[in-house]
Amino acid sequence: MAVPGGGAKDDSFNVLDLAEYTKNRPWWRKIFGPSSGSSAEKYNVATQLVIGGVTGWCTGFVFQKVGKLAATAVGGGFFLLQIANHTGYIKVDWNLVQRDMNKAKEQLKFHSSGNRMPPEVKSRVDEVIIFLKKNVILTGGFAGGFLIGMAS
């Protein structure tokens, strides 16, 4: 077959079995492509520290603000409940509270005696540990940035 440039067209094609190709690839490489390995493979140490530090600081700052808001809301709710109890709007049946607390303690003792992690949780924990080991510098930058963000 003639090609408009004057040369001959090569009709040979390579066949790629996508099922076999994707079996041994992690999910993030399926989505983001082959260049989405660990950051240690792509970036130098300074870049990893800056990326980790900035994302950690942002996360810490937001966590601090949301935490203050949540603490204020919960504390204010308890304060209003105490005022309502003190003025007589709320009457607490302490015997019922004690009975429910004892029931909850028994259930906690029963559930904590097994102390085995479900396999899906264990596999996710293993994935997180592997990620942290592969990206130690990025993780360290994130942790430092998180602490600075919490302090600011």
Side-chain angles (χ1 to χ4, degrees):
M1 174 185 248
V3 178
K9 182 179 177 187
D10 186 10
D11 284 336
S12 65
F13 295 101
N14 290 332
V15 178
L16 177 63
D17 185 8
L18 290 178
E20 289 298 320
Y21 179 69
T22 58
K23 254 185 203 173
N24 297 323
R25 296 184 67 207
W27 64 268
W28 61 86
R29 289 202 179 160
K30 292 176 192 172
I31 294 173
F32 299 113
S35 65
S36 63
S38 72
S39 60
E41 298 170 359
K42 296 189 294 187
Y43 302 111
N44 63 18
V45 174
T47 305
Q48 290 180 55
L49 281 174
V50 168
I51 290 172
V54 168
T55 56
W57 181 84
C58 291
T59 305
F61 186 77
V62 168
F63 191 84
Q64 175 201 30
K65 296 299 179 187
V66 170
K68 280 183 182 179
L69 180 68
T72 302
V74 170
F78 283 137
F79 181 69
L80 289 175
L81 284 174
Q82 284 295 340
I83 290 175
N85 184 29
H86 183 68
T87 55
Y89 287 110
I90 297 175
K91 297 287 184 199
V92 178
D93 185 2
W94 289 109
N95 292 327
L96 181 63
V97 171
Q98 185 65 33
R99 190 179 72 210
D100 288 343
M101 290 299 290
N102 289 334
K103 240 191 253 185
K105 285 180 188 176
E106 290 300 319
Q107 287 180 349
L108 284 174
K109 286 179 186 175
F110 176 74
H111 289 302
S112 66
S113 63
N115 210 10
R116 278 178 250 134
M117 209 182 310
E120 58 272 359
V121 173
K122 184 168 177 22
S123 68
R124 292 291 179 197
V125 168
D126 291 341
E127 284 181 26
V128 168
I129 290 172
I130 289 169
F131 175 80
L132 293 177
K133 285 180 180 178
K134 284 184 178 178
N135 298 297
V136 172
I137 297 170
L138 184 72
T139 304
F142 181 86
F146 183 81
L147 292 176
I148 292 171
M150 288 291 290
S152 61

